[in-house]
Amino acid sequence: MKRSNLLRILLLALFIIGISLSHYLTPLRLPMLHDILQRLYYLPIILAAFWFGVRGGLVSSIVVSILYAPHIIFQWGMHPSLELEKYLEIVMYNVVGGVTGFLSEREEARREEVQRSAKGLEESFRKLQSQADLIIRIEEQLRRAERLSALGELSAVLAHEIRNPLGSIRGTAEILKDDFRPGDRKYEFLEILLKETDRLNRVVEDFLGLARPIEVERESCDLMAELREVVSLAEGEAASRGVRLNLVPTQLPLVRGDREKLRQVFLNLVLNGIQATGRGGSLTITAAAVPPGNGASAAVELSFTDTGAGMTPEVLGRIFEPFYTTKPGGTGLGLAITQKIVESHGGGIEVASEAGKGTTFRVRLPV
Ligand SMILES: Nc1ncnc2c1ncn2[C@@H]1O[C@H](COP(=O)(O)OP(=O)(O)OP(=O)(O)O)[C@@H](O)[C@H]1O
Ligand SMILES: [Mg+2]
């Protein structure tokens, strides 16, 4: 039995015994006091009915009746008119105990009913909300897919038309460059021309990569090895900006995917992190195997955490849009391509960022 119930029973028992003792000890020549004591019995009876329902009410009224009856028989026996009244009181005890118990049980049942339906309502509200969230997410994905497919049609044509003349320009510039010696001003101009055509070519390449449906080669990839490679590629850039690169080595299961494309994903994230971080900052890469559960299959989760500038919520909301950039020389294609590659592997990418504190990109790839 629960502690609180035991305490209640103890209290009721004390109450009833106290009143009964007072009855037996109060001299009969004080009928007023007896009248009051007699009514006091209703208190424990009603309390018992409230706390324990019909059973509680009746048990307490019967106990009271049993304790009170000898007092009537032996002490009031010589006053027949009063005696009848006292017997009637005993009947009342039991009626009150039973009726109050019945009412309180009904009330309790009603309260439980209300609580149950409130809980049911809450449940369906939650379900509705999560469904609404899902719809919003799907709609967002749909909109993005639409945008990308319109972009794709246009860009395939455009990129093709740009790439060919670009190749000619580059070739011509290289031939011209042979005519000048390093140090010559025209030689420098031609260098600039070459560098800029390369940049333009890269933008077109990236753009095409974004617009075309990605074909993923499926091979077993050791992500740690790829990360190590990317870190060594980015080391020079990091060192020149005074940013420390940390890769926390972890044992990871193999992931089926396209090594080349995944390396591109990691490089984009690492470069973004380095570019956002000032001297003395750091970029830390951690990885963890995630066991299957909650309807999701086993996965590997990679985190890229920098201590850089972070992003405001407005920027954060747009970073995956193609061509969205806050950098003077940026194309704004890095993250759009990154997201596309990750999703074509059946994975997902999430970002958390706080302006002034830093950013964490989390990439999840199914095993
Ligand atoms: N780690 C980061 N910290 C802060 N801002 C970031 C971070 N990564 C991305 N961003 C923001 O997201 C924008 C988009 O990034 P994205 O990689 O797509 O393009 P970009 O880096 O600007 O250009 P590109 O990748 O072509 O050099 C960035 O301009 C920057 O504002
Ligand atoms: Mg970038």
Side-chain angles (χ1 to χ4, degrees), residues 147-202:
R147 217 165 43 215
L148 284 181
S149 88
L151 204 68
E153 281 167 30
L154 186 75
S155 62
V157 181
L158 203 62
H160 203 75
E161 293 304 309
I162 293 174
R163 243 183 348 171
N164 288 344
L166 216 53
S168 316
I169 293 174
R170 197 180 197 289
T172 317
E174 258 174 20
I175 293 169
L176 281 178
K177 202 172 83 170
D178 289 341
D179 290 347
F180 302 97
R181 297 267 74 80
D184 195 322
R185 276 188 58 198
K186 289 192 176 151
Y187 184 90
E188 314 264 287
F189 286 149
L190 285 166
E191 286 263 273
I192 294 175
L193 188 61
L194 281 174
K195 213 177 80 207
E196 293 297 300
T197 25
D198 281 346
R199 201 167 92 87
L200 204 53
N201 206 28
R202 217 183 51 234

